[in-house]
Amino acid sequence: MRIVRKPGAFVCGIDAAMDVIGGKWKVLILWALNERTHRFGELRRAVPGVTEKVLSSHLRELEDDGIVHREVYAEVPPRVEYSLTPLGLSLNAALGPLGQWGRDHIYRGEGEGGGGVEAAVGVGAASESRLVPGQSVSRLPRPWWG
């Protein structure tokens, strides 16, 4: 687990948690790994839009934080699998209430208030570029907590 070397590095517990899950893709990586163990390529397909470089970097950070376990098998070709540690499972449990809040206050599916997430949070054309081509915000897969 990563050690904080500077006393008082975090203002509160939320600040510390956001240091671990901050980043565009980390919660989606946690979502995919909550379902099952994944190899790198499977994980990349499970998180559409993430680049190999960013996925590799985020997995390394989550491993350093004790959230993700990386298992390397002595095979040819080498096989590497990623799974959640008990700490990672507890983090996912903590994200449940946050997902419920999002469902209650921000997320609106089709036919519920019109416009889906775009209308609820004011997503504009600039944000659409982050989606997989042809994918609408309201059609993104829902994580177990969202």
Side-chain angles (χ1 to χ4, degrees), residues 21-42:
I21 63 168
K24 182 176 177 180
W25 304 104
K26 285 185 181 177
V27 292
L28 294 177
I29 293 167
L30 292 172
W31 163 52
L33 291 176
N34 191 68
E35 293 180 335
R36 65 179 180 85
T37 298
H38 282 77
R39 294 178 70 175
F40 186 85
E42 295 171 330

Side-chain angles (χ1 to χ4, degrees), residues 5-77:
R5 298 183 191 330
K6 187 168 94 178
F10 301 112
V11 176
C12 64
I14 299 269
D15 187 24
M18 291 306 295
D19 184 60
V20 173
I21 63 168
K24 182 176 177 180
W25 304 104
K26 285 185 181 177
V27 292
L28 294 177
I29 293 167
L30 292 172
W31 163 52
L33 291 176
N34 191 68
E35 293 180 335
R36 65 179 180 85
T37 298
H38 282 77
R39 294 178 70 175
F40 186 85
E42 295 171 330
L43 196 51
R44 182 151 185 243
R45 287 185 296 276
V47 183
V50 68
T51 64
E52 286 186 23
K53 179 180 176 183
V54 170
L55 179 58
S56 179
S57 170
H58 281 347
L59 285 169
R60 225 175 296 115
E61 290 171 11
L62 289 167
E63 186 181 3
D64 289 346
D65 289 333
I67 304 298
V68 168
H69 173 71
R70 180 178 187 261
E71 182 77 28
V72 180
Y73 294 91
E75 299 175 355
V76 177

Side-chain angles (χ1 to χ4, degrees), residues 103-117:
R103 282 190 304 276
D104 293 346
H105 300 288
I106 295 176
Y107 182 83
R108 290 188 177 85
E110 292 178 7
E112 297 177 27
V117 175

